[in-house]
Amino acid sequence: EVQLVESGGGLVQAGGSLRLSCATSGFTFDDYALGWFRQAPGVEREALSCIRSADSTTYYANSVKGRFTISSDNARNTLYLQMNSLKPEDTAVYYCAAIPHLGGEFPPWYEYPYWGQGTQVTVSS
């Protein structure tokens, strides 16, 4: 059974940093793409960053490029998102997700079949 559990969210002041973790089980990283997504109230879920461990390919949304860094520890089956220079508009519920994927473009968020429960990130001004 595929499972994903996020942690590391919280309240931080603007300009601060947080690191999110996503502990996974039930699948092999090399056969999957993993990603971080977020959803604010009344806003469609958006993809922030994705990674494909098989070839180390990554994707970043323009809104987080240069501020967020995705990484994975295959030995620990854990995905990370280092978030720096946080802004109030980064406030949202953050999710990690996984999809079987061996190459090509990263799929859109709605095609990911496996999701964590989400962790709240609140950035105060």
Side-chain angles (χ1 to χ4, degrees):
E1 180 186 6
V2 174
Q3 292 188 326
L4 302 97
V5 180
E6 302 97 338
S7 61
L11 174 64
V12 64
Q13 288 189 331
S17 298
L18 284 174
R19 188 175 82 152
L20 305 182
S21 299
C22 175
T24 76
S25 61
F27 65 98
T28 301
F29 267 32
D30 280 350
D31 297 333
Y32 280 67
L34 298 104
W36 287 99
F37 306 80
R38 70 185 178 192
Q39 188 165 21
V43 179
E44 182 176 332
R45 190 167 299 190
E46 66 170 319
L48 303 178
S49 184
C50 303
I51 188 168
R52 186 168 57 235
S53 295
D55 59 8
S56 300
T57 299
T58 58
Y59 159 83
Y60 291 94
N62 287 336
S63 59
V64 304
K65 197 174 295 183
R67 299 189 298 126
F68 292 8
T69 303
I70 193 170
S71 62
S72 64
D73 183 336
N74 290 17
R76 298 178 183 267
N77 294 321
T78 302
L79 179 72
Y80 301 99
L81 185 68
Q82 177 66 43
M83 306 187 295
N84 299 328
S85 302
L86 283 161
K87 307 174 183 180
E89 52 263 44
D90 292 318
T91 295
V93 178
Y94 284 65
Y95 300 89
C96 61
I99 183 171
H101 182 67
L102 297 181
E105 290 189 7
F106 288 105
W109 68 266
Y110 48 82
E111 293 188 9
Y112 282 68
Y114 306 110
W115 291 84
Q117 81 288 353
T119 185
Q120 176 71 45
V121 172
T122 303
V123 184
S124 63
S125 57

